[in-house]
Amino acid sequence: MCRRGLIKTIVMVLIMTMVLASSALGVNNTASASGLTVIGSGESARSDGKATEVSFNNPFGIAYSEKLNALIIADTGNHRIASLDLKTMEVKTIAGLNKGEDRFGFPGGGYVDGSLDKAMFNRPRGVAVAENGSIFVADTGNHAIRQIFDGKVTTIAGGKIAGYKDGKGLEASFLSPSSLALDEDKNIFVADTLNNTIRKIDKTGKVTTFAGKLGDDKLLNEPIDLFFDEDGKLYVVDGGNHQIKRLNDKGKIDLVWGNHSIKDDESHYWLGGYLDGPGQIAYFNFPKGITGGKDGAILVSDSYNHVIREIKDSNVSTILGAGLAGEKEDKEFKIYLDGPTGLAYGGGKLFISDRWNNRIIVIPDKGKNLSSISPRLVGDNIILYFNGILVEFPDVEPMAIEDVVRVPIRAVVEAVGGEIKWKDETQEVDINLGGYATTLSHEEGDFILYEGRSLLDLKALEGIMDLEVKYLEEEKIISVQMK
């Protein structure tokens, strides 16, 4: 082989080696078809640099800034606030000094105001950017609201001591605040997560409670993210209740999407689920982030389902993710995610904080990149979901008889682990469901018989068994859940 041929062969081998290594590491900067970009090496570490070089440690909240042409990132595990330059696609630390390691070997945070190179945070989760470029930070571990502006970090409300107290500036107290949102009047709204409240900081620095009630998890249960739409409506990710709620200007809930199942005896949290469809029957599983999309759409990071959901025209659908944790790109699901949290939308792009994958996903809103991948639920037959789980009927299905919708009671009870017994002599049905016991009588008109099955109408089902029953006539969907 001639010298020129040998050199050519060596160069080709090197190129192929680099391509294969890049593919194996999963660090493709841009997918050719979708334009999707991955920011982060995937390693749990701390570094600045270009898209494939930078490292994060459980990034949580993010905020888009048109003025800065940047994405601001709360790199929670690294106790820092970083910036992704959307022109160069490089990440640089804005503020947040680490101090050694904690007792578990993780980077140590702290609480120091001052210049950017000396300031310290403690597991900050939320960021918001004002029109003048000022960055507000929900410094979760320090129970404080901080501001980055004019080369320094200052505390504007709360402090190192956790608590619940309204008041002026540093007199107020919070308990693990997780996110912030700014309204048109420059008021700051804070998701005060472990106080189950939304707090408001006005332009004078006065802190008041805007929504929720301390100790009441029915109204709000660990609210974790906030978003104002173009009409000034405030949306809350009510994480512990697995719901998205809209508040009016008085702090009252006027719209809810999502349901929760039953309460887990060990964790004492409500159980979530995964069901697309009309908002009244949809289920989320510990959603953590929210932002607005194109044409009035609301986008939600459904963290424990590892997907991104879209709410549009009061219908919930999945637009990204497979419902399983992962990191690879995929033709059907677009990309696998692992515990997505913060979301931001700007410049025609959706930004996702893919928390447990230690990366930021940037995906252009074009073509079918953000289109629904959910199957439509509308069909010819009536279907029934119990606590978000589709109930299978072996023969007789739910049906409308003389304009009254009825369901085969045995299939519903057995689908959720209940017991049902038919007494042929008296034509009665004994039901035992989760400690609830009752007897239904055909003679008393509690149910009708149809092709050997006992059919109960929806009103009787709700009243007799103490269930919450919703029937969506247009979609032909029955949603049943335990109260």
Side-chain angles (χ1 to χ4, degrees), residues 108-226:
Y111 187 14
V112 177
D113 282 335
S115 61
L116 299 183
D117 61 338
K118 295 181 180 179
M120 299 182 71
F121 299 92
N122 187 4
R123 302 193 65 78
R125 279 190 166 189
V127 285
V129 185
E131 291 181 357
N132 66 353
S134 177
I135 300 170
F136 295 96
V137 180
D139 191 1
T140 308
N142 284 323
H143 315 288
I145 307 304
R146 317 279 291 279
Q147 181 180 22
I148 302 174
F149 186 65
D150 198 22
K152 60 183 179 180
V153 177
T154 56
T155 300
I156 62 171
K160 196 172 184 179
I161 299 176
Y164 174 73
K165 182 182 178 182
D166 288 337
K168 190 73 175 288
L170 304 185
E171 298 174 357
S173 56
F174 302 85
L175 183 56
S176 297
S178 292
S179 70
L180 319 100
L182 310 178
D183 70 5
E184 292 182 348
D185 296 325
K186 300 180 182 179
N187 297 303
I188 304 170
F189 289 77
V190 180
D192 192 5
T193 302
L194 295 188
N195 279 326
N196 297 331
T197 57
I198 307 301
R199 314 287 289 281
K200 177 182 176 181
I201 308 173
D202 68 17
K203 289 180 287 188
T204 69
K206 182 181 179 181
V207 178
T208 56
T209 300
F210 178 73
K213 185 178 180 181
L214 182 67
D216 186 351
D217 62 9
K218 293 181 180 179
L219 291 173
L220 296 172
N221 187 2
E222 298 188 8
I224 200 160
D225 201 12
L226 304 172

Side-chain angles (χ1 to χ4, degrees), residues 422-438:
W422 167 256
K423 296 189 288 189
D424 192 49
E425 299 129 2
T426 59
Q427 291 200 318
E428 292 178 325
V429 173
D430 289 336
I431 296 172
N432 192 314
L433 178 62
Y436 174 87
T438 190

Side-chain angles (χ1 to χ4, degrees), residues 277-325:
Q280 307 99 303
I281 69 163
Y283 278 78
F284 299 90
N285 196 0
F286 286 104
K288 303 252 183 227
I290 188 169
T291 192
K294 192 163 55 178
D295 301 326
I298 302 295
L299 305 178
V300 178
S301 62
D302 192 0
S303 191
Y304 281 27
N305 283 326
H306 311 289
V307 295
I308 307 301
R309 317 281 289 278
E310 178 188 67
I311 303 173
K312 195 169 185 179
D313 300 325
S314 292
N315 191 71
V316 179
S317 62
T318 300
I319 61 171
L320 285 169
L324 299 170

Side-chain angles (χ1 to χ4, degrees), residues 401-422:
I401 300 176
E402 296 180 353
D403 295 327
V404 177
V405 176
R406 300 178 184 273
V407 298
I409 188 61
R410 177 176 292 276
V412 175
V413 172
E414 291 182 344
V416 292
E419 297 179 353
I420 183 167
K421 183 179 180 181
W422 167 256

Side-chain angles (χ1 to χ4, degrees), residues 259-434:
N259 297 277
H260 54 65
S261 182
I262 58 177
K263 187 166 281 190
D264 180 64
D265 291 335
E266 293 185 7
S267 68
H268 302 293
Y269 279 100
W270 292 102
L271 297 178
Y274 185 17
L275 177 62
D276 285 329
Q280 307 99 303
I281 69 163
Y283 278 78
F284 299 90
N285 196 0
F286 286 104
K288 303 252 183 227
I290 188 169
T291 192
K294 192 163 55 178
D295 301 326
I298 302 295
L299 305 178
V300 178
S301 62
D302 192 0
S303 191
Y304 281 27
N305 283 326
H306 311 289
V307 295
I308 307 301
R309 317 281 289 278
E310 178 188 67
I311 303 173
K312 195 169 185 179
D313 300 325
S314 292
N315 191 71
V316 179
S317 62
T318 300
I319 61 171
L320 285 169
L324 299 170
E327 60 180 20
K328 67 179 181 179
E329 293 179 35
D330 183 272
K331 185 176 181 180
E332 180 180 358
F333 304 113
K334 299 158 189 176
I335 189 166
Y336 280 69
L337 304 167
D338 193 356
T341 52
L343 296 177
Y345 187 94
K349 296 181 177 68
L350 174 65
F351 303 88
I352 305 167
S353 180
D354 193 10
R355 183 186 185 189
W356 298 116
N357 280 327
N358 298 306
R359 61 186 187 175
I360 304 296
I361 307 297
V362 184
I363 182 166
D365 189 358
K366 66 179 183 179
K368 295 184 178 181
N369 281 353
L370 301 182
S371 61
S372 173
I373 56 177
S374 306
R376 287 187 61 81
L377 295 176
V378 178
D380 295 330
N381 299 327
I382 297 174
I383 58 177
L384 186 148
Y385 288 91
F386 198 114
N387 286 342
I389 300 172
L390 179 66
V391 176
E392 300 286 349
F393 295 91
D395 38 49
V396 177
E397 297 183 338
M399 63 182 69
I401 300 176
E402 296 180 353
D403 295 327
V404 177
V405 176
R406 300 178 184 273
V407 298
I409 188 61
R410 177 176 292 276
V412 175
V413 172
E414 291 182 344
V416 292
E419 297 179 353
I420 183 167
K421 183 179 180 181
W422 167 256
K423 296 189 288 189
D424 192 49
E425 299 129 2
T426 59
Q427 291 200 318
E428 292 178 325
V429 173
D430 289 336
I431 296 172
N432 192 314
L433 178 62

Side-chain angles (χ1 to χ4, degrees), residues 394-396 408-411 414 447-455:
D395 38 49
V396 177
I409 188 61
R410 177 176 292 276
E414 291 182 344
F447 58 88
I448 67 170
L449 294 174
Y450 180 86
E451 294 186 0
R453 294 296 182 186
S454 306
L455 303 188

